[in-house]
Amino acid sequence: MAAPADRIAALRGQLALAGLQACLVPTADPHLSEYLPEHWAARAWLSGFDGSAGSLLVTADFAGLWTDSRYWTQAESQLQGSGISLMRAGAPDVPDMLDWAVAHLRRGDGLAVDGRVLDRAAAARWDKGLGAAGASLVLNQDPVGAVWADRPALPAAAVFEHLPPHACRSRADNLAAVRAAMRDQGAEHHLLSSLDDIAWLLNLRGADVDYNPVFLSHVLLDADRVRLYIAPDKIPAALAARLAADGVELRDYTALAVDLAGLAADVALLVDPARVTAGTLSHAPQVRVIESINPSQLLKSIKNSAEADNIRQAMAQDGAALCEFFAWFESALSAGEHITEIDVDTHLSAARARRPGFVSLSFATIAGFNANGAMPHYRATESSHAAIQGDGLLLIDSGGQYLGGTTDITRVVPVGTPSAAQRADYTAVLRAHIALARAQFPVDTASSVLDAVARMPLWRRGLDYGHGTGHGVGYFLNVHEGPQSISVRAHARPHQGMQAGMLTSNEPGLYRDGQWGIRIENLVLAVPVAQTAFGSFLGFETVTLCPIDTRCVVREWLSAEELDWLNSYHQQVRARLLPLVDGAARDWLLARTEPL
């Protein structure tokens, strides 16, 4: 198997043949998915770095991988021997990738990127920046594909229907809501390429992308027609008939380009510039583009009451699985069994698989002991993992896909005797978590504003963390969704206002490089809590159900309100989970929900 250095050399040869001076390789597919089918994992194939975020830039004498702080340690290790420089995106001395390209490319140079995987907004930014420097952006070539001889085929998993009682909205209602939003925007057609939007719109699910129950497709929608572009053998005949009855016409996945080219000149086409690629849209230069967020992004982010009830049930099943796992883990640890980070993933995944309604994991389990826990997106592998022994902290970030909801939870548990410094950090993160869990705010408050609520207990001690505090979560869909984002780096936009029914993570953290990491994560549902002369106010219902380990808590640091929240949460966890567990899991649950 060729090494990354050999693949980079082959790419440089291809660039020279094409008369190009640079190549940009983003982490993306034609649907701009977070998790990619192997066919579209070009950046990982080329560089050897398999983190979920990062972009590669290659010239004749330079290759650099830009990735954020979550992946610096992982990338530094995986890039060794590749000749690829790690560019620590966000660090003060590291230029933005586009700025680097503008500074190093000469007038007349061409930078290629496969336009099929570059979003419209990014393409416009790169085209403008390179153009100002006299260079050009080339979107109609795929130099990486030209040298990727054994590129995997596209996935071929069958699509299935999400049905009641777990599907709580009809396909007709979803289509009507999106069409109403189209009319409000003055759009006659709407192009969807984002897989979560399509799956939600049509009440369909699939298995083309790891961890996300979605399928490769596009949708072109107007007032009368719904055209679903998908490989023809992915839809069973009976499902095809039901779709046809709802006005959904099946078209071959490759037919989108022809149909876009066939749209009438100057027709108004609604697209989300962050969720449609420049290459896809290049087939319709004649249309009048209306740029706005996909209406389905907001519609599906607001869970209705039936969906909220199903989510609560899924959280209870997930919590029961965690009780079983932690009961096994503590028993095995006390018995002196050899346990590794790999074992944590194996046993926890098996516990989830035994619960009713479970479909798959919602992301790759993160189990990091001590220094490995300091890497927010660390993943243990057979070739590189730690044994859980001695004293320290074990961080476990995991989740499941259930027919009635998607879960995402992080817990940190002590192994042996935690140090005073570890207990101090743990308590600080717990206070940050409780601060957001107890927040009350007006309807439509920009989600980014809430980030400071969680960080304040840490900021007071001169502490901070590099990732966002909360992301939206889908309903048996993607574990990371929008439009809400509780992040200090998120821009406050109208569609990011908090609404009742939004399901969001609450996950502040603290990381000591080379020592330990702490993150406490629950999912919270925005619910109405007050109506006053100053407007309608929301708060958070914590729907994740699993004890927060109190053995690391410095009790005297908690205020009366914080202590009351923690004890009340554990009372709720105990009441909800006791009917679902027995034996050792029941004993563990009772012990870990004792009030402080």
Side-chain angles (χ1 to χ4, degrees), residues 531-535:
Q531 180 70 45
T532 76
F534 296 92

Side-chain angles (χ1 to χ4, degrees), residues 27-51:
T27 303
D29 66 3
H31 310 280
L32 302 171
S33 307
E34 178 183 12
Y35 299 105
L36 309 179
E38 288 187 5
H39 178 85
W40 294 108
R43 188 267 297 154
W45 175 82
L46 194 61
S47 69
F49 166 66
D50 60 7

Side-chain angles (χ1 to χ4, degrees), residues 190-192 198 201-202 217-221 226-229:
H190 179 29
L191 172 63
L192 283 166
I198 294 169
L201 179 70
L202 300 178
S217 59
H218 301 273
V219 160
L220 188 59
L221 176 68
V226 185
R227 284 176 274 187
L228 172 62
Y229 300 86

Side-chain angles (χ1 to χ4, degrees), residues 74-86:
Q74 176 185 345
E76 189 171 28
S77 173
Q78 293 184 325
L79 294 178
Q80 287 183 10
S82 68
I84 301 171
S85 300
L86 171 59

Side-chain angles (χ1 to χ4, degrees), residues 172-203:
D173 286 345
N174 291 346
L175 289 167
V178 170
R179 282 174 166 142
M182 288 169 55
R183 290 193 297 270
D184 291 343
Q185 296 269 11
E188 299 156 272
H189 290 77
H190 179 29
L191 172 63
L192 283 166
S193 292
S194 45
L195 303 183
D196 55 321
D197 287 306
I198 294 169
W200 176 87
L201 179 70
L202 300 178
N203 274 3

